Amino acid sequence: MMDVAKLAGVSHQTVSRVLNDHPNVTEQTRLRVRAAIAELGYRPNRAARALATGKSQVIGVVAQNSTLYGPASTLAALAQAATGSGFTISVESVRTLERAPMHAAVSRHLDQRVAGLVVIAPVDSANEVLDQIPSDIPLVCIDGDPQRSTELVTVDQEAGGYAATRHLLDKGHKTVWHVSGPEDWFDSRGRVAGWKRALAEAGAEIPPVMAADWSAAAGYHAGQVIARMKEITAVFAANDHLALGALRAFHEHGRRVPEDISIVGFDDVPEAEFYIPPLTTVRPDFEAVAAATLELLHDQIVSGTTEGQRRVIAPTLITRQSVSAPRKRR
């Protein structure tokens, strides 16, 4: 910083003001300092800055080490959004979303004096860890428990489940079966709630939930059962991988999609439009989730207070060729 100040002909305090976008610097001085920074290739030492000011520019993120499309996409969107926010993110990946590994990950972040925490907390077991985080630590949960007072950003899972089911009903299907995600996931519960609400509003029969995990293999096994039940003409799968497995099972049993059975997924994975047939699905806005998360966290860091705010991000139904009106029975 002293070298930059010398080259620009200003004090090191002025360089600091420019780096922190302080308003009390003339535009001419700001440009001269920026030119000196560029010429010297100067980069602020974030660690030293945190020690000097007591404030870190690093946000700690706790997330499951998972290849599941939703959590992985959320994490990628967070990293992208942070690049333009003045913060960087440090990710602690945990093998499972159980108490011990999550508690250890949170503790490591707190030891590093991060500016705040983001916890991707989509399951019941995360609540016990969140309860132990000091109240003065800025914290935002993604896809966490909607019953908690913690600041929360989430996709509107219920609205997504409702839209998927309503779309099938509007095509003329008398009812819709549902292959759900794991019961301890808040995402899964929300999608089940939306599915049930759409059926109830339509006065349609509500079939039993076919509980599964998030894998294509689970979808395949559920699809094997569904394919044998000729009266089923419409299915809402809780994610696109479940839908992919079900499509394979339907094909093996000679159930054509969408002529004999229609199906809608959730997530809009990049491959969804290349399924056979291309999959109608619900697309979450992961970028909006990331932006809202950083905004809420920034507000807490600046104000030093939390108001228990929550942002619920609406998903979008993407229609493709896996849905049609049911075939008339002769």
Side-chain angles (χ1 to χ4, degrees):
M1 189 180 291
M2 297 300 293
D3 292 336
V4 171
K6 183 177 180 181
L7 182 60
V10 299
S11 68
H12 73 275
Q13 292 95 335
T14 298
V15 175
S16 178
R17 291 189 188 99
V18 171
L19 290 171
N20 288 289
D21 292 323
H22 197 282
N24 295 336
V25 180
T26 66
E27 188 61 23
Q28 182 179 5
T29 299
R30 193 181 304 276
L31 291 173
R32 196 161 69 245
V33 171
R34 291 291 181 192
I37 288 171
E39 182 176 339
L40 294 173
Y42 170 74
R43 297 181 64 187
N45 186 321
R46 296 182 183 273
R49 190 174 183 180
L51 288 172
T53 64
K55 295 181 180 179
S56 169
Q57 292 177 291
V58 179
I59 294 171
V61 179
V62 178
Q64 185 177 19
N65 183 13
S66 171
T67 58
L68 290 173
Y69 181 73
S73 296
T74 300
L75 192 56
L78 270 175
Q80 182 64 34
T83 59
S85 70
F87 289 97
T88 58
I89 67 170
S90 172
V91 180
E92 285 283 349
S93 296
V94 294
R95 187 174 57 83
T96 64
L97 294 170
E98 296 175 354
R99 181 188 178 282
M102 288 194 67
H103 178 73
V106 168
S107 296
R108 286 192 292 271
H109 278 315
L110 295 181
D111 288 345
Q112 294 167 13
R113 300 177 67 184
V114 294
L117 287 173
V118 174
V119 181
I120 302 176
V123 298
D124 286 325
S125 59
N127 280 341
E128 191 175 350
V129 174
L130 296 174
D131 287 337
Q132 298 176 357
I133 295 176
S135 59
D136 61 338
I137 301 296
L139 169 67
V140 177
C141 289
I142 295 179
D143 292 337
D145 187 348
Q147 304 303 317
R148 290 183 61 87
S149 60
T150 309
E151 300 215 346
L152 173 71
V153 179
T154 183
V155 171
D156 194 335
Q157 310 292 348
E158 182 172 343
Y162 180 90
T165 308
R166 185 73 256 176
H167 179 62
L168 290 162
L169 293 171
D170 288 345
K171 288 294 184 180
H173 296 277
K174 292 183 177 180
T175 191
V176 178
W177 284 63
H178 181 46
V179 182
S180 79
E183 295 179 359
D184 62 338
W185 281 63
F186 304 117
D187 293 3
S188 180
R189 294 179 200 167
R191 294 169 199 180
V192 168
W195 165 74
K196 285 185 176 179
R197 179 162 64 90
L199 292 177
E201 285 183 5
E205 176 189 355
I206 301 178
V209 174
M210 301 189 73
D213 56 29
W214 297 116
S215 68
Y220 175 77
H221 292 306
Q224 291 277 349
V225 176
I226 293 170
R228 295 185 177 95
M229 302 169 71
K230 301 300 183 183
E231 69 274 17
I232 298 178
T233 64
V235 176
F236 164 43
N239 77 351
D240 292 349
H241 289 119
L242 288 167
L244 176 63
L247 285 170
R248 166 72 181 272
F250 298 160
H251 173 74
E252 290 180 355
H253 284 266
R255 300 290 303 276
R256 296 172 301 165
V257 178
E259 293 85 354
D260 300 323
I261 189 166
S262 293
I263 187 167
V264 177
F266 202 113
D267 278 343
D268 194 28
V269 299
E271 301 83 9
E273 64 179 311
F274 301 103
Y275 286 8
I276 301 177
L279 183 66
T280 293
T281 185
V282 177
R283 177 187 294 166
D285 191 340
F286 297 112
E287 289 75 20
V289 168
T293 299
L294 292 179
E295 181 182 340
L296 289 183
L297 195 65
H298 176 267
D299 289 348
Q300 287 185 63
I301 293 169
V302 171
S303 69
T305 61
T306 177
E307 298 178 2
Q309 295 186 66
R310 53 198 56 222
R311 303 283 177 84
V312 181
I313 310 298
T316 304
L317 181 71
I318 306 298
T319 57
R320 298 193 181 102
Q321 288 75 55
S322 66
V323 173
S324 70
R327 187 175 55 173
K328 292 183 179 180
R329 296 178 181 270
R330 293 182 179 179

